[in-house]
Amino acid sequence: LALGEQLGVKLRRPDPGSSSFSQIHLKPKLTTPTQSGSSMFGKKAAPEVRQVYIASPSGGFMTRTPNTQTEGPGCSLCGICRCCTCISLGFLSTPTGVVKIVECIFGLVCQLLLLKYGMEYTDKLGIGYSVFLTVNSGSVLTTSVLLLCYVTSTATYNRVRPSLFEVIFTGVSCGLYIGASTFLATAVYQHLFYYYHTIPGFSAYPALTAVYVLGYAAGIVHGVDSVMALKFMRTVR
């Protein structure tokens, strides 16, 4: 105010008793942290709860999803009860289950084609036919038994799958399938290719060609299964 009077500016001095507003500004009330946190009734104020949203990398807000319970083993009947609880159908959707199913399908198709189109040409095909039939029969039988045991018993899967048996069996089956398919392909081309071009409707050659092609595919699948079993064995141990 003194500076304003020197400069010739008339300033109005506020009246201390004129209003409550001037009283508050002229005489501010100092509050301590303990007083600011209490209410007029002498109780502590409730802590302020803030809700924080965190954006997900894909965009939008993150939301909490309820915990969903996985279905147990067996088959559900109208959502009320379950039957055949000893069967774990969820295994069939796992990578191991899919590989085992593919192995069984390839083996069964090869077996049916060999028995239907190759029996009458056993003498001409020679050792190639016999070796492939033996390899395919043993592989399909063992794979089917393993698949049945894995579906019906979780304990069997936990004990047999990470064992050395699975690694050796699938690895040997891979080599035998590739070798037997090579023998069969050589025999089919040497002895049946001529009949395929001279006899109209000769279906044995395309059928047996499909057999050794599926044999190569089955060998590759068994090789993949062997690598999976080896990784699983190392993980468990």
Side-chain angles (χ1 to χ4, degrees), residues 9 41 52 151 160 174:
V9 180
F41 297 101
V52 181
V151 170
V160 177
C174 173

Side-chain angles (χ1 to χ4, degrees), residues 43-195:
K43 297 182 180 179
K44 293 183 178 180
E48 183 179 0
V49 179
R50 296 181 180 181
Q51 190 173 7
V52 181
Y53 294 92
I54 302 175
S56 61
S58 59
F61 295 103
M62 296 179 65
T63 57
R64 294 182 178 180
T65 56
N67 295 329
T68 56
Q69 297 181 354
T70 56
E71 295 185 355
C75 303
S76 177
L77 297 178
C78 301
I80 300 175
C81 60
R82 306 186 68 84
C83 65
C84 301
T85 56
C86 61
I87 300 177
S88 180
L89 297 179
F91 170 77
L92 300 178
S93 60
T94 61
T96 304
V98 172
V99 169
K100 293 295 183 186
I101 292 175
V102 172
E103 292 173 357
C104 289
I105 292 175
F106 284 174
L108 289 175
V109 173
C110 289
Q111 192 75 9
L112 294 176
L113 292 177
L114 284 172
L115 296 178
K116 183 176 181 180
Y117 295 97
M119 290 296 294
E120 56 180 327
Y121 303 101
T122 305
D123 298 335
K124 294 181 180 180
L125 296 177
I127 191 174
Y129 178 84
S130 302
V131 169
F132 193 96
L133 185 62
T134 303
V135 171
N136 187 72
S137 301
S139 178
V140 170
L141 179 61
T142 308
T143 304
S144 301
V145 171
L146 288 175
L147 181 60
L148 179 62
C149 292
Y150 291 165
V151 170
T152 56
S153 177
T154 305
T156 303
Y157 173 79
N158 294 330
R159 294 176 183 177
V160 177
R161 181 61 178 174
S163 65
L164 190 60
F165 169 76
E166 270 273 18
V167 180
I168 294 179
F169 165 69
T170 51
V172 171
S173 297
C174 173
L176 291 178
Y177 260 118
I178 294 176
S181 299
T182 304
F183 280 116
L184 183 62
T186 303
V188 168
Y189 181 78
Q190 289 179 353
H191 301 285
L192 299 183
F193 184 73
Y194 173 76
Y195 297 104

